[in-house]
Amino acid sequence: MTDPAPQPLFDTHPRFLALSPGSLVFENRFVVRFLNKLELEVPAKADYLHARDFLRAYAGWETTYKAYRIQVERLLLWSWLKQRDSVLKLTHEDAEAFLGFSREPDMEWVGQAVRRRFIAGEEPGELVPNPQWRPYEILGSKAARKLADETGMPRQAPERYKVTASSLKQAFTICCSFYDFLVGQDRLLDNPFRAIEEPGRFFEMRAPSIEGKVLNPLQWAFVIETAEWMAQQDPERHERTLFVVATLFSLYLRISELAGRPDWHPTMQAFQQDSTGAWWYVTVGKGGKERRISVSSELLGYLKRYRLSRKLTPLPQPGRTCRCC
């Protein structure tokens, strides 16, 4: 018998937050129709509501919601369509099988590009599942995509799906969190993913690695040199560019640790000097945890350069606040 085709379950972050907790009243009717069809074999609605409660607990940041949505959605669809069982009944053997599937999914589950989950329907304001959406995507190389876009030629699809070790590790971690949540809600007694022996073998030894994701010192030197040239040509615009590039490189920051988030905005007071004269960059990371990062003398030079270009004192002074960048 042919497996039913997977379809998206959870929409964008704003639309997800607009849903009514504990009910399907404001749910997309095509999602409810899909769940109703599955009810003949599995309690899909109950599973779906458990997953939605879990995602709501991690919906404080949109990026976190998106990462958790991808993995939980894949798990639900695999459990329903491949195992034909509830996620509450999966064993540790099933958990291993899911990680194996995530490493090498059926090609019917793999799309050739990232697609919108829902698209406009025939009725005004109606959103329908995008028939081209798939739970997994083949992206190909950036160079190949750029060449196709520039020449107007069709994009050549890679021969097979490739997954990184970090993606598999993220799948394991998020699924573990999902089942920890279910255990905490008294829905289960045990977490099948935590029962896996040596889970690292799924995302360390057997997962293919991706090379060329880290710039070597020569490449970084070229980036910094280019940013310095841009700053010389157009100081008003690109002194900031140079400062941002140098800071991200020197401190190994996440983008949100320099650009800020809705609940936290870095200022120049994030650069702080201690009693020994050493400088630190104090940021707030994921989960609201403070992180202190040592600032090198080289970065202090770029900090002074940027501040002087903005007619500020060479280094931040206590009590005076201005935006970081």
Side-chain angles (χ1 to χ4, degrees):
M1 188 173 83
T2 304
D3 293 325
Q7 76 157 59
L9 302 174
F10 302 103
D11 207 341
T12 61
H13 185 248
R15 291 196 179 100
F16 176 81
L17 294 179
L19 298 178
S20 176
S23 76
L24 300 175
V25 174
F26 298 110
E27 206 71 46
N28 184 300
R29 67 185 182 94
F30 293 94
V31 172
V32 176
R33 181 185 299 177
F34 180 70
L35 298 176
N36 285 336
K37 290 181 180 179
L38 295 172
E39 284 286 323
L40 298 175
E41 295 188 64
V42 296
K45 286 184 179 179
D47 283 358
Y48 176 83
L49 289 174
H50 294 326
R52 206 178 67 177
D53 289 342
F54 169 71
L55 290 177
R56 191 172 292 276
Y58 287 90
W61 288 284
E62 184 173 1
T63 52
T64 302
Y65 164 74
K66 288 180 178 179
Y68 277 58
R69 174 188 63 183
I70 290 172
Q71 303 302 341
V72 171
E73 189 174 63
R74 288 174 177 174
L75 177 63
L76 288 177
L77 293 172
W78 178 85
S79 180
W80 297 339
L81 304 182
K82 290 297 183 181
Q83 298 300 94
R84 289 185 165 82
D85 213 343
S86 167
V87 291
L88 299 182
K89 294 184 179 180
L90 297 186
T91 65
H92 80 275
E93 291 89 355
D94 294 325
E96 290 182 351
F98 172 70
L99 292 178
F101 184 83
S102 294
R103 186 173 57 238
E104 298 179 8
D106 293 350
M107 289 308 295
E108 292 79 8
W109 286 50
V110 180
Q112 297 301 324
V114 177
R115 304 290 185 182
R116 292 176 57 188
R117 294 164 165 266
F118 296 88
I119 57 178
E122 296 180 357
E123 300 293 331
E126 181 181 62
L127 293 173
V128 302
N130 186 346
Q132 294 185 313
W133 177 89
R134 297 292 184 272
Y136 301 85
E137 307 92 17
I138 292 178
L139 300 180
S141 69
K142 290 183 178 178
R145 297 200 302 273
K146 182 178 180 181
L147 178 62
D149 291 340
E150 290 177 349
T151 60
M153 298 294 291
R155 295 184 182 183
Q156 184 176 1
E159 295 182 357
R160 63 186 180 88
Y161 175 79
K162 296 180 181 180
V163 64
T164 64
S166 60
S167 293
L168 283 175
K169 188 172 183 179
Q170 183 184 67
F172 173 79
T173 301
I174 292 175
C175 289
C176 269
S177 297
F178 176 46
Y179 278 97
D180 283 342
F181 174 83
L182 294 175
V183 171
Q185 295 293 313
D186 295 326
R187 304 296 181 182
L188 288 173
L189 294 177
D190 300 299
N191 183 335
F193 280 85
R194 296 204 179 277
I196 296 176
E197 295 183 2
E198 300 181 9
R201 69 184 189 275
F202 288 98
F203 42 80
E204 291 177 0
M205 296 175 61
R206 298 177 62 183
S209 61
I210 302 297
E211 298 181 355
K213 291 295 184 180
V214 179
L215 297 181
N216 61 40
L218 180 61
Q219 290 170 324
W220 260 119
F222 177 76
V223 171
I224 293 293
E225 182 179 341
T226 301
E228 289 181 342
W229 178 85
M230 293 168 63
Q232 291 174 359
Q233 297 299 310
D234 188 352
E236 184 65 26
R237 181 179 180 185
H238 288 302
E239 282 294 343
R240 179 180 182 275
T241 300
L242 175 60
F243 170 69
V244 169
V245 169
T247 303
L248 289 173
F249 169 62
S250 299
L251 303 182
Y252 298 95
L253 298 178
R254 301 183 182 95
I255 296 297
S256 63
E257 290 178 319
L258 186 62
R261 300 185 302 274
D263 60 334
W264 179 75
H265 297 285
T267 68
M268 280 294 175
Q269 293 302 307
F271 290 95
Q272 300 177 9
Q273 188 177 33
D274 64 20
S275 58
T276 67
W279 281 86
W280 302 83
Y281 182 74
V282 182
T283 181
V284 177
K286 291 185 176 180
K289 295 181 180 179
E290 185 177 282
R291 193 159 76 100
R292 297 175 63 85
I293 308 166
S294 177
V295 176
S296 67
S297 58
E298 183 178 5
L299 179 58
L300 280 181
Y302 286 110
L303 175 62
K304 292 176 182 178
R305 173 173 172 165
Y306 175 63
R307 287 179 59 85
L308 289 173
S309 74
R310 296 298 184 261
K311 296 181 172 53
L312 300 171
T313 58
L315 290 170
Q317 299 178 3
R320 295 188 179 182
T321 303
C322 61
R323 290 295 295 271
C324 225
C325 57

